[in-house]
Amino acid sequence: MSDNNPPPVSATTAVDPLAPARLGPVSMRNRIIKSATFEGVTRNALVTDELIDFHVAVGKGGVGMTTVAYLAVAPEGRTERDQIYWRPEALPGLRRLTDAVHATGAKVSAQIGHAGPVANSRSNGLPSIAPSSRPNPLAMGFDRAASEGDIARVITAHGQAARMAKDVGFDAVEIHLGHNYLASSFLSPNINRRKDSWGGPLANRAEFARRIVAEVGEAVGGEIAVLAKVNMADGVPGGLWLDESLQFAQMLETDGHLDAIELTGGSSLLDPMYLFRGDVPVRAMAETQSGIVKVGMKLFGRFVFKKYPYQPLYFRDHARQFRQALNMPLVLLGGVTDHAGMTTAMTDGFEFVAMARALLREPDLINRIQMDLATTSLCIHCNLCAASIFTGTRCPLAVGTRE
C-alpha cells in the first residue's frame, strides 16, 4: 500500500466527498468513482469512439475517476467475444481513451480480470475455465477445471495487463476479484471443489487471488493506484460469506499491495440481482439473447433472477463490518445516489464512494450535486440498463429527463 494514503476517515474526521483526495499515488478532484459497468460498445474487442464518449461524458460530469470495464487479461477470459482483452492491437485505442478522459479533469482506471466460469466459450470460440469442471449454461457446455499451467498463466497475465495499463496512461487498475469471475470463483466454496492446494480451506482458496494482487502490485511498482473489487458475500447458498470474506480482506491488507478495496457482492454466475437490487426486467434481458438461451430466460428467468428490494446504501451494513476490521482505504458501493448518501459513507469512515446506475441516467449528476447539494438522482432502479449491455449500456429513460 502506498505511504501516501491517509489514515481511515472516522466519524469525527468525516470529510467532504466533493473535496480533493488521494488514492495511493493518484490525486483526485473528489472522492467519487464511476464504478465499472460493461459498456457494450467494444466491437472487435477494440476501443471505439462510443467507448471514449461514454467515459468522457462522466468525466465532464464531475466524477473523480471513471472505471473502464471490463478488460480481460486473456482471450478466453472474456464474457463475450467483443470484450477488449489486453494485446498490442488494443493499446493505441486505450491511449486515446485515457487522453480524452484526462482532458476532462478526471482520472481513469482499468478494470482487469479473467471471467472464468462467467466467460462465454461459445461466443469466444475458446474453452472456458473454472476452479472445477462445471456446466456452463451460457455456452451450452462445460467449463474445464483450471490446470496448474492455467493458474500460472493467468497470474502472469494480470501483471502484463497492469504494465500495459500503466504504459497507456491509466491512473489506476482495479483487479476484479468479485462476482464469481475466476478469482472469486476460486474463493467460493460453492464453485471451488478442488482437492489440491488451491481448494479446501480459505487459505488455499485465497491463494490464487493473493498471487494475482501481488503480481499486479509488483508490475506497477507504486506508479499507479491498485484497487481490488472484492465480494463481501456471493449471495448464494454455500458461497463466500462475511466470515470468510472479512478474513480474505485482512489477508489482502496484510499483503500490502493494494491502495483500496471496493466492496461489492453477488454472483454474475448464480445470482446477479444480489448486486443490483430493484426491478428485474427478465423479458427485456431475454430479448438480448438468441436461440434456446432466449427461450430459456423467458420461461425460467423469474426463477434464476431473484428480486431484492432496493434501498439507499444497501451494502452499508455489510461494509461497515469491513470498515471496523480494516485500516486501509475502502470504497462503498451500492445505492449511492446523492450527497446525503456520500456524506453518510464518509461519516462511517469510507474514503471513497462508487456509483454506476445513477450516472448512466445522468452522467452530469456530480456537477449538479456540486451546484445544489440537495439534488436527487432520477434513477428509479428499474435495471433496464442491465438489458442493454450487449447493444451499448445506457439508461433507456435518460433522454430529455432534465432541462
Side-chain angles (χ1 to χ4, degrees):
M1 187 186 300
S2 168
D3 292 337
N4 292 321
N5 280 320
V9 177
S10 70
T12 57
T13 61
V15 298
D16 179 0
L18 299 174
R22 289 189 68 83
L23 174 58
V26 178
S27 296
M28 293 167 51
R29 62 188 176 191
N30 58 49
R31 296 174 179 269
I32 300 151
I33 298 171
K34 164 64 178 70
S35 64
T37 48
F38 179 53
E39 303 89 351
V41 289
T42 52
R43 294 179 297 278
N44 301 315
L46 295 168
V47 170
T48 61
D49 290 341
E50 294 95 329
L51 181 68
I52 294 173
D53 291 345
F54 182 100
H55 289 283
V56 164
V58 291
K60 288 181 176 178
V63 298
M65 183 166 71
T66 186
T67 309
V68 180
Y70 152 86
L71 304 170
V73 301
E76 84 284 353
R78 295 169 287 168
T79 61
E80 54 89 30
R81 65 179 175 271
D82 282 327
Q83 214 161 52
I84 295 174
Y85 62 100
W86 290 96
R87 65 202 194 282
E89 297 91 331
L91 302 185
L94 289 167
R95 169 58 79 172
R96 281 201 304 125
L97 188 157
T98 59
D99 286 346
V101 173
H102 288 151
T104 72
K107 305 300 184 182
V108 56
S109 175
Q111 186 186 70
I112 64 174
H114 191 293
V118 183
N120 187 331
S121 60
R122 183 164 52 95
S123 177
N124 294 333
L126 296 165
S128 52
I129 59 175
S132 311
S133 180
R134 57 175 286 114
N136 186 319
L138 281 176
M140 307 294 290
F142 281 82
D143 298 323
R144 176 173 56 81
S147 67
E148 291 284 346
D150 292 323
I151 290 169
R153 173 178 58 84
V154 171
I155 291 170
T156 299
H158 277 81
Q160 294 169 338
R163 288 187 194 92
M164 286 186 274
K166 176 171 65 74
D167 290 344
V168 298
F170 281 98
D171 304 285
V173 290
E174 178 186 86
I175 309 166
H176 201 328
L177 304 181
H179 304 166
N180 286 165
Y181 282 43
L182 187 59
S184 173
S185 66
F186 265 81
L187 285 162
S188 168
N190 179 295
I191 302 172
N192 184 349
R193 306 296 178 87
R194 298 175 74 104
K195 304 301 182 183
D196 61 7
S197 63
W198 301 101
L202 175 63
N204 290 6
R205 288 182 278 117
E207 186 65 17
F208 180 49
R210 295 175 74 181
R211 291 196 191 183
I212 286 172
V213 173
E215 187 82 11
V216 170
E218 182 178 342
V220 304
E223 295 183 43
I224 64 175
V226 180
L227 304 88
K229 195 163 196 170
V230 173
N231 266 18
M232 296 179 287
D234 292 348
V236 298
L240 190 72
W241 186 241
L242 286 166
D243 55 346
E244 289 193 329
S245 61
L246 277 165
Q247 294 177 57
F248 172 59
Q250 289 171 324
M251 293 175 188
L252 295 177
E253 179 173 65
T254 300
D255 292 342
H257 303 296
L258 294 174
D259 295 297
I261 292 176
E262 181 176 312
L263 299 167
T264 188
S267 169
S268 298
L269 188 68
L270 302 173
D271 192 1
M273 299 311 296
Y274 188 87
L275 167 62
F276 291 109
R277 311 297 168 96
D279 295 343
V280 186
V282 172
R283 185 160 293 275
M285 290 190 288
E287 290 299 331
T288 67
Q289 305 298 317
S290 60
I292 192 169
V293 175
K294 181 176 183 177
V295 174
M297 283 187 67
K298 286 184 175 181
L299 291 175
F300 305 108
R302 67 184 185 277
F303 303 110
V304 175
F305 296 96
K306 300 177 184 177
K307 184 172 182 177
Y308 296 92
Y310 176 86
Q311 62 182 25
L313 307 182
Y314 51 82
F315 277 147
R316 182 188 179 202
D317 288 345
H318 283 1
R320 289 175 73 183
Q321 297 180 57
F322 285 75
R323 181 66 290 164
Q324 292 171 5
L326 302 170
N327 292 313
M328 67 183 297
L330 299 176
V331 184
L332 181 67
L333 168 76
V336 180
T337 62
D338 56 22
H339 187 262
M342 298 172 193
T343 302
T344 296
M346 300 296 110
T347 303
D348 283 345
F350 298 99
E351 285 78 8
F352 301 91
V353 294
M355 304 174 66
R357 286 171 292 179
L359 295 176
L360 292 178
R361 180 76 188 254
E362 300 172 279
D364 64 345
L365 179 60
I366 305 308
N367 285 343
R368 294 181 181 277
I369 289 173
Q370 288 177 318
M371 291 186 291
D372 179 2
L373 297 183
T375 298
T376 57
S377 168
L378 295 178
C379 180
I380 61 172
H381 325 295
C382 64
N383 291 317
L384 287 170
C385 53
S388 71
I389 63 172
F390 296 115
T391 57
T393 302
R394 62 196 180 279
C395 173
L397 309 179
V399 177
T401 52
R402 288 192 195 264
E403 295 299 326

